[in-house]
Amino acid sequence: MLESTTHYLVVDLEATCDDMHAMPREQTEIIEIGAVLVDGATLEPLDEFQAFVRPVVHPRLTPFCTRLTSITQADVVRAPTFKFVARRLAAFGQGALFCSWGGYDKNQLERDARRAGIRSPLGPRHLNLKEAFARAAGERREMGNQSAMRRVGLTPTGTHHRGIDDARNIAKLLPYALGRTAVAPARGGERRSR
């Protein structure tokens, strides 16, 4: 499957949240979609997609959500709803293999699509880059994307927990997760940094 992939679409989502777990998982909604389209042969970024999404179940962002993501109420209040943004995302990612760091993004896209009464915009094919990176690194446990970047000597850029910035950083890990660039073994359990 991966050998014939002409494009990868690295996606990272941000969603409504709270720090008291008062918002059930089924009620969380996407508030930002960040995506980087990557050439399948060179693994170079080709284009980017970023959109804020207006939540409808819990339209007011919690202070915790704003602190975590830096996304404000003003960012989402006039944004289009998921149904509209999903059409744009589907067109942008058409034909590309949907990838994300873990299964959360795929599950959240499916949850929002069900709520909107539409099909998931990126289809059922999905590559879990967190699992792929752990296998390539010879790790038993999966790690967050920021830790994975440090493990291979890359410095994360942008704002962590912003969809577009995290998608850009995860796209930099694609050569390692796909096994095209070797991940050096960790020395004595230390995290490597350069």
Side-chain angles (χ1 to χ4, degrees):
M1 168 171 96
L2 299 182
E3 293 78 26
S4 63
T5 301
T6 58
H7 294 92
Y8 295 91
L9 186 67
V10 179
V11 175
D12 188 80
L13 306 174
E14 303 306 326
T16 54
C17 56
D18 68 17
D19 56 345
M20 305 306 281
H21 304 289
M23 188 180 303
R25 172 74 63 147
E26 280 300 314
Q27 292 181 12
T28 60
E29 300 169 86
I30 296 168
I31 56 174
E32 184 192 12
I33 300 173
V36 177
L37 185 66
V38 178
D39 182 274
T42 66
L43 300 184
E44 290 295 318
L46 298 172
D47 203 357
E48 295 183 350
F49 176 96
Q50 189 278 337
F52 290 116
V53 181
R54 180 168 37 96
V56 294
V57 176
H58 294 281
R60 300 258 349 133
L61 301 183
T62 64
F64 171 78
C65 187
T66 295
R67 281 193 310 275
L68 179 69
T69 65
S70 79
I71 297 170
T72 67
Q73 192 66 37
D75 291 326
V76 299
V77 73
R78 289 192 180 92
T81 60
F82 177 77
K83 197 171 197 172
F84 178 78
V85 177
R87 283 194 299 267
R88 291 181 37 223
L89 178 64
F92 179 80
Q94 187 173 9
L97 177 59
F98 168 30
C99 309
S100 64
W101 199 260
Y104 164 79
D105 302 271
K106 179 180 186 296
N107 295 335
Q108 187 67 49
L109 267 179
E110 290 172 352
R111 192 169 18 256
D112 279 60
R114 277 192 308 274
R115 186 180 298 114
I118 61 173
R119 286 194 296 195
S120 189
L122 299 178
R125 288 183 54 214
H126 176 257
L127 175 59
N128 183 328
L129 295 173
K130 185 189 261 190
E131 289 177 353
F133 182 87
R135 282 192 305 273
E139 296 286 341
R140 284 188 290 238
R141 285 190 285 180
E142 298 170 359
M143 60 184 78
N145 64 64
Q146 304 267 300
S147 296
M149 289 190 79
R150 287 189 291 274
R151 169 75 191 277
V152 298
L154 297 173
T155 302
T157 57
T159 302
H160 189 38
H161 295 302
R162 275 303 302 273
I164 191 61
D165 291 337
D166 284 347
R168 289 172 182 147
N169 285 325
I170 294 164
K172 294 174 189 172
L173 290 167
L174 200 53
Y176 301 96
L178 296 176
R180 294 197 201 170
T181 301
V183 179
R187 292 182 293 197
E190 298 174 350
R191 292 189 195 266
R192 296 180 34 172
S193 61
R194 287 188 253 186

